[in-house]
Amino acid sequence: MVECLYAPQRVLHEVTTQADVHDDVLYVNGLPKGAPLPRWVKPELLPAIQVPTLLIHGRDDRVVSFETSLYLLANIPDSRLVLLNRCGHWAMIEHADEFNRLVADFIANN
């Protein structure tokens, strides 16, 4: 079995096992079972967000599927999504330079 640098199987197993024991998530209709939102997120309030919002998500995230970010993108009015290829759950670590550039550019222009 080949381990990917961005999502090692042992880390995946630990994270998904831990995620299974938490009951503090809300599964949103239309998202796969693996795409929860924390219970404190009230989907009906997302359209009321009045500030520019940057969403950065790893395409290969096995903890939270990128469909969750697509849901947020569709429901937050002034939002932008950057989906990073060959990136798992830790975009800020796995693609640190690109992540930092995206955040700095977003802050500078908003």
Side-chain angles (χ1 to χ4, degrees):
M1 177 163 116
V2 176
E3 273 193 354
C4 298
L5 291 176
Y6 56 92
Q9 287 299 110
R10 67 182 181 280
V11 172
L12 172 63
H13 175 69
E14 289 175 26
V15 170
T16 54
T17 300
Q18 296 220 359
D20 287 341
V21 301
H22 294 289
D23 62 355
D24 58 348
V25 294
L26 167 70
Y27 290 95
V28 177
N29 289 336
L31 293 180
K33 180 68 172 159
L37 291 176
R39 285 206 186 276
W40 51 263
V41 172
K42 296 185 179 189
E44 66 275 8
L45 297 179
L46 294 174
I49 295 175
Q50 297 293 311
V51 295
T53 305
L54 175 63
L55 307 164
I56 301 174
H57 204 115
R59 187 194 62 135
D60 301 308
D61 189 335
R62 294 182 184 181
V63 178
V64 179
S65 71
F66 71 85
E67 286 89 352
T68 301
S69 286
L70 293 175
Y71 177 85
L72 294 172
L73 179 69
N75 288 281
I76 300 173
D78 191 11
S79 60
R80 175 181 177 211
L81 170 62
V82 177
L83 193 61
L84 298 174
N85 195 26
R86 295 193 49 79
C87 181
H89 188 64
W90 298 283
M92 72 295 284
I93 296 169
E94 297 173 47
H95 293 273
D97 291 340
E98 186 171 6
F99 181 90
N100 291 332
R101 181 187 56 75
L102 287 166
V103 171
D105 289 348
F106 182 79
I107 291 171
N109 294 302
N110 291 284

